[in-house]
Amino acid sequence: MIGRLNGTLVHKQPPWLVVDVHGVGYELEAPMSTFYDLPAVGGKVSLFTHYAQKEDSVSLYGFLSEPERRLFRDVQRVSGIGAKIALAVLSGAGVDEFARLVQSGDVTALTRIPGIGKKTAERMVVELRERMADGYATGAAALAGGKGAAIAADPLSEAAVALQQLGYKPAEAQRMARQAFAEGDVAETIIRKALQSALR
């Protein structure tokens, strides 16, 4: 099992990234909460990982903090939730915000995360409330790596594609990206603003 990777970030395009560890490139899927704080391509990165093997596929997921990985695993313990929705949770709300929503029982806000309907949101509140009370504080010490992002040729398009990968319909993803866009924004900034406004 692979629990952590330390290496050089050689590619990033939400939700995928590739980390080179001594000449071996590991392709990982990561939530936007991780993408926001990744270094620029070529920078050193340390990621906590979750290895998942199914009958027909093997997947590796990467997270900058242990609380992100723990939440990813805990969310999947809820009946009917898999890796795709768990990534959407971290991308749409992040660890601290999701814990707050569950503890307060805010089913309406939870249903704004792609793939989560009312019944699933209610199950999440019931099944995860105690775990959220145990604390998921991320804090600066839990994060590895530094800030920095390369400016894409078209950050608006990149943001729209990333939002589609998170489960939003193409027209909705484009609308969200356009509404969040401000001159000079990189894709990660547009995505973060779009996801934050979707929860309001």
Side-chain angles (χ1 to χ4, degrees):
M1 184 180 277
I2 301 168
R4 190 165 185 189
L5 292 174
N6 290 304
T8 304
L9 183 64
V10 294
H11 176 77
K12 64 175 181 175
Q13 175 147 9
W16 301 101
L17 56 95
V18 177
V19 177
D20 182 299
V21 180
H22 300 295
V24 178
Y26 290 89
E27 184 179 60
L28 303 100
E29 195 167 354
M32 289 310 302
S33 56
T34 288
F35 268 88
Y36 297 144
D37 294 316
L38 285 174
V41 170
K44 295 292 181 193
V45 67
S46 180
L47 296 170
F48 293 92
T49 61
H50 175 81
Y51 177 86
Q53 184 171 353
K54 296 180 185 172
E55 286 181 22
D56 58 346
S57 68
V58 173
S59 301
L60 192 60
Y61 301 92
F63 311 91
L64 277 176
S65 72
E66 174 57 31
E68 285 180 314
R69 180 172 67 175
R70 188 159 49 113
L71 180 60
F72 176 79
R73 290 173 171 171
D74 285 348
V75 166
Q76 290 184 76
R77 291 185 178 138
V78 175
S79 173
I81 294 183
K84 185 172 182 171
I85 293 177
L87 285 175
V89 163
L90 281 164
S91 295
V95 175
D96 297 330
E97 177 69 5
F98 181 76
R100 186 190 66 73
L101 293 174
V102 168
Q103 287 176 323
S104 66
D106 194 342
V107 171
T108 304
L110 289 170
T111 60
R112 293 187 190 120
I113 298 170
I116 298 178
K118 186 175 181 193
K119 289 187 182 206
T120 302
E122 289 169 347
R123 271 198 317 273
M124 289 173 117
V125 168
V126 169
E127 295 182 34
L128 295 175
R129 187 174 263 158
E130 267 186 42
R131 288 177 199 254
M132 298 299 112
D134 290 342
Y136 270 84
T138 50
L143 295 174
K147 297 238 179 217
I151 296 175
D154 184 4
L156 191 57
S157 295
E158 188 178 333
V161 169
L163 290 167
Q164 288 175 49
Q165 292 289 328
L166 295 173
Y168 290 98
K169 291 182 172 51
E172 185 179 11
Q174 290 173 358
R175 178 190 56 77
M176 289 170 65
R178 277 195 310 272
Q179 288 177 344
F181 177 73
E183 194 62 41
D185 280 352
V186 293
E188 287 86 354
T189 303
I190 299 167
I191 296 163
R192 176 182 293 180
K193 291 193 302 191
L195 292 171
Q196 286 172 343
S197 69
L199 284 176
R200 291 190 194 122

